PDB file of all heavy atoms in Angstrom:
ATOM      1  N   ASP Y 291      10.898 -45.910   9.454  1.00 98.00           N
ATOM      2  CA  ASP Y 291      11.116 -47.274   8.959  1.00 98.00           C
ATOM      3  C   ASP Y 291      12.578 -47.467   8.561  1.00 98.00           C
ATOM      4  O   ASP Y 291      13.169 -48.526   8.800  1.00 98.00           O
ATOM      5  CB  ASP Y 291      10.218 -47.551   7.754  1.00 98.00           C
ATOM      6  CG  ASP Y 291       8.745 -47.645   8.131  1.00 98.00           C
ATOM      7  OD1 ASP Y 291       8.458 -47.867   9.322  1.00 98.00           O
ATOM      8  OD2 ASP Y 291       7.899 -47.496   7.231  1.00 98.00           O
ATOM      9  N   SER Y 295      15.511 -50.264   9.740  1.00 98.00           N
ATOM     10  CA  SER Y 295      16.241 -51.096   8.781  1.00 98.00           C
ATOM     11  C   SER Y 295      17.749 -50.959   8.972  1.00 98.00           C
ATOM     12  O   SER Y 295      18.490 -51.956   8.919  1.00 98.00           O
ATOM     13  CB  SER Y 295      15.861 -50.718   7.345  1.00 98.00           C
ATOM     14  OG  SER Y 295      14.503 -51.036   7.094  1.00 98.00           O
ATOM     15  N   GLU Y 379      29.807 -26.883  -0.851  1.00 97.00           N
ATOM     16  CA  GLU Y 379      29.676 -26.813   0.604  1.00 97.00           C
ATOM     17  C   GLU Y 379      30.777 -25.960   1.210  1.00 97.00           C
ATOM     18  O   GLU Y 379      30.557 -25.241   2.191  1.00 97.00           O
ATOM     19  CB  GLU Y 379      29.697 -28.217   1.211  1.00 97.00           C
ATOM     20  CG  GLU Y 379      28.481 -29.063   0.863  1.00 97.00           C
ATOM     21  CD  GLU Y 379      27.168 -28.519   1.419  1.00 97.00           C
ATOM     22  OE1 GLU Y 379      27.205 -27.639   2.305  1.00 97.00           O
ATOM     23  OE2 GLU Y 379      26.107 -28.966   0.962  1.00 97.00           O
ATOM     24  N   LYS Y 384      32.398 -20.785   3.670  1.00 98.00           N
ATOM     25  CA  LYS Y 384      33.131 -19.521   3.593  1.00 98.00           C
ATOM     26  C   LYS Y 384      32.177 -18.331   3.616  1.00 98.00           C
ATOM     27  O   LYS Y 384      32.475 -17.286   4.200  1.00 98.00           O
ATOM     28  CB  LYS Y 384      33.975 -19.491   2.318  1.00 98.00           C
ATOM     29  CG  LYS Y 384      35.141 -20.470   2.329  1.00 98.00           C
ATOM     30  CD  LYS Y 384      36.152 -20.147   3.422  1.00 98.00           C
ATOM     31  CE  LYS Y 384      37.395 -21.010   3.319  1.00 98.00           C
ATOM     32  NZ  LYS Y 384      38.370 -20.720   4.398  1.00 98.00           N
ATOM     33  N   LYS Y 605      26.418  11.951  -8.543  1.00 94.00           N
ATOM     34  CA  LYS Y 605      26.883  13.273  -8.920  1.00 94.00           C
ATOM     35  C   LYS Y 605      25.787  14.090  -9.583  1.00 94.00           C
ATOM     36  O   LYS Y 605      25.018  13.583 -10.409  1.00 94.00           O
ATOM     37  CB  LYS Y 605      28.063  13.132  -9.891  1.00 94.00           C
ATOM     38  CG  LYS Y 605      28.996  14.330  -9.884  1.00 94.00           C
ATOM     39  CD  LYS Y 605      29.727  14.447  -8.555  1.00 94.00           C
ATOM     40  CE  LYS Y 605      30.667  15.667  -8.573  1.00 94.00           C
ATOM     41  NZ  LYS Y 605      31.207  15.915  -7.216  1.00 94.00           N
ATOM     42  N   MET Y 611      21.816  18.752  -4.568  1.00 98.00           N
ATOM     43  CA  MET Y 611      22.412  20.072  -4.795  1.00 98.00           C
ATOM     44  C   MET Y 611      21.587  21.177  -4.144  1.00 98.00           C
ATOM     45  O   MET Y 611      22.135  22.123  -3.558  1.00 98.00           O
ATOM     46  CB  MET Y 611      22.542  20.331  -6.299  1.00 98.00           C
ATOM     47  CG  MET Y 611      23.506  19.385  -7.000  1.00 98.00           C
ATOM     48  SD  MET Y 611      25.192  19.504  -6.387  1.00 98.00           S
ATOM     49  CE  MET Y 611      25.613  21.165  -6.911  1.00 98.00           C
ATOM     50  N   ASN Y 666      32.488  46.942   1.903  1.00 69.00           N
ATOM     51  CA  ASN Y 666      33.097  47.406   3.170  1.00 69.00           C
ATOM     52  C   ASN Y 666      34.602  47.194   3.181  1.00 69.00           C
ATOM     53  O   ASN Y 666      35.325  47.864   3.916  1.00 69.00           O
ATOM     54  CB  ASN Y 666      32.475  46.661   4.356  1.00 69.00           C
ATOM     55  CG  ASN Y 666      31.032  47.064   4.570  1.00 69.00           C
ATOM     56  OD1 ASN Y 666      30.651  48.209   4.257  1.00 69.00           O
ATOM     57  ND2 ASN Y 666      30.219  46.163   5.107  1.00 69.00           N
TER      58      ASN Y 666
END
Side-chain angles (χ1 to χ4, degrees):
D291 290 340
S295 294
E379 292 296 345
K384 291 297 187 181
K605 205 67 180 171
M611 295 299 294
N666 291 330

